[in-house]
């Protein structure tokens, strides 16, 4: 039973446009959400996070939105750059922030086209 | 600052053989994790250590997998005996505050 779902295996976006990656979760106990970025042959690297007490968090070109009632979060990248091409994982935890064991989605492969 | 180190990077074994992976976390990070990432899936937590104590091993297949973190620094993950379905990338991570830092992983192929 997947508790964190990323329903788009891949997404293609033109350079300079907005990339929107979506994530849904089923476990209402999740209270901390994170996005990780992964390049081939490397481990995931932390990108941005959001606590359930907020509905938006922004860091440069990256913004995460959380809709608790819909159990949905999204990552917006504006503007998209070629270096953003990677697999993006949505992750969630219960009670421990980002230092607790994480439950990951399957990932979305973002391809930025020139 | 050096990142999380893992070795070996790649390993090929036959089913029923044993294998061990090693992880050296970032200096000063008390929490260490092992994740299993099967092709096409997200990482799945196998075990979490706080110093040298186990915090969560609920998803570790204890009949064949074992892990230890002696002295609260380095850690080893062992599989004995391996099955075909153990083919995956094994990721080690360590954390401070609210961020986990991942190593490059060990890609295991069981034939």
């Amino acid at each position: 039973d997947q508790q964190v779902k990323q329903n788009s295996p891949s997404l293609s976006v033109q350079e300079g446009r907005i990339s929107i990656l979506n994530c849904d979760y089923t476990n209402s106990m999740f209270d901390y959400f994170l996005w990780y970025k992964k390049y081939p042959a490397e481990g995931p690297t932390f990108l941005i996070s959001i606590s359930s007490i907020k509905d938006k968090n922004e860091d440069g070109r990256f913004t995460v939105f959380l809709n608790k009632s819909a159990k949905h979060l999204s990552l917006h990248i504006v503007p998209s750059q070629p270096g953003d091409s990677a697999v993006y994982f949505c992750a969630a935890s219960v009670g421990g922030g980002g230092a607790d064991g994480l439950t990951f989605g399957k990932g979305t492969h973002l391809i930025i086209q020139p | 600052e050096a990142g999380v180190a893992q070795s070996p990077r790649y390993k090929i074994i036959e089913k029923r053989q044993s294998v061990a992976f090693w992880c050296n976390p970032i200096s000063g990070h008390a929490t260490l994790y092992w994740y299993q990432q099967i092709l096409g899936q997200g990482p799945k937590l196998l075990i979490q250590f706080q110093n040298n104590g186990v915090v969560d091993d609920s998803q570790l297949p204890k009949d064949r997998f074992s892990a230890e973190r002696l002295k609260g620094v380095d850690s080893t993950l062992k599989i004995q005996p391996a099955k075909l379905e153990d083919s995956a990338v094994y990721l080690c991570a360590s954390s401070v505050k609210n961020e986990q830092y991942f190593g490059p992983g060990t890609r295991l192929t069981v034939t």
Side-chain angles (χ1 to χ4, degrees):
Chain A
D1 176 37
Q2 269 216 296
Q3 298 186 64
V4 177
K5 300 177 184 179
Q6 294 177 258
N7 292 321
S8 298
S10 66
L11 176 67
S12 184
V13 174
Q14 233 175 351
E15 182 180 354
R17 306 293 290 267
I18 183 171
S19 295
I20 300 176
L21 294 92
N22 294 304
C23 177
D24 298 293
Y25 61 94
T26 58
N27 188 345
S28 56
M29 298 296 290
F30 287 143
D31 59 3
Y32 198 81
F33 303 89
L34 309 91
W35 285 93
Y36 277 81
K37 177 179 179 179
K38 186 181 183 305
Y39 292 118
E42 295 183 11
T45 55
F46 171 75
L47 198 55
I48 193 169
S49 63
I50 188 166
S51 164
S52 61
I53 62 173
K54 294 185 174 182
D55 55 17
K56 177 182 174 181
N57 189 25
E58 204 169 342
D59 183 2
R61 296 186 298 115
F62 304 92
T63 304
V64 56
F65 296 92
L66 175 62
N67 182 334
K68 287 191 294 290
S69 60
K71 293 191 177 68
H72 176 84
L73 63 155
S74 60
L75 173 68
H76 292 210
I77 306 173
V78 182
S80 300
Q81 298 175 355
D84 296 332
S85 294
V87 177
Y88 289 77
F89 290 99
C90 174
S93 72
V94 177
D100 209 354
L102 301 176
T103 300
F104 283 85
K106 290 186 177 182
T108 296
H109 185 193
L110 177 63
I111 301 161
I112 304 302
Q113 294 183 333
Chain B
E1 178 183 74
V4 176
Q6 291 189 247
S7 68
R9 292 294 310 274
Y10 304 92
K11 189 75 177 179
I12 301 174
I13 62 172
E14 294 182 353
K15 59 184 179 184
R16 292 186 287 274
Q17 286 187 323
S18 302
V19 65
F21 313 125
W22 173 82
C23 173
N24 180 236
I26 294 172
S27 177
H29 284 196
T31 310
L32 184 146
Y33 319 75
W34 284 100
Y35 288 85
Q36 177 194 58
Q37 185 178 10
I38 293 171
L39 187 65
Q41 306 285 322
K44 182 182 90 169
L45 179 71
L46 292 176
I47 190 167
Q48 177 183 347
F49 292 94
Q50 179 74 21
N51 295 309
N52 59 351
V54 175
V55 173
D56 181 1
D57 64 357
S58 58
Q59 299 189 92
L60 186 74
K62 298 180 187 63
D63 57 335
R64 297 184 301 105
F65 286 64
S66 64
E68 60 182 10
R69 191 182 184 199
L70 299 176
K71 301 180 182 178
V73 182
D74 293 4
S75 177
T76 55
L77 176 69
K78 297 179 182 177
I79 308 175
Q80 180 180 13
K83 293 185 175 180
L84 295 176
E85 59 260 36
D86 298 332
S87 293
V89 174
Y90 291 84
L91 294 161
C92 178
S94 65
S95 74
V96 62
K97 295 183 180 178
N98 264 344
E99 186 173 336
Q100 294 185 29
Y101 297 81
F102 285 81
T106 296
R107 180 175 295 279
L108 174 67
T109 302
V110 182
T111 64

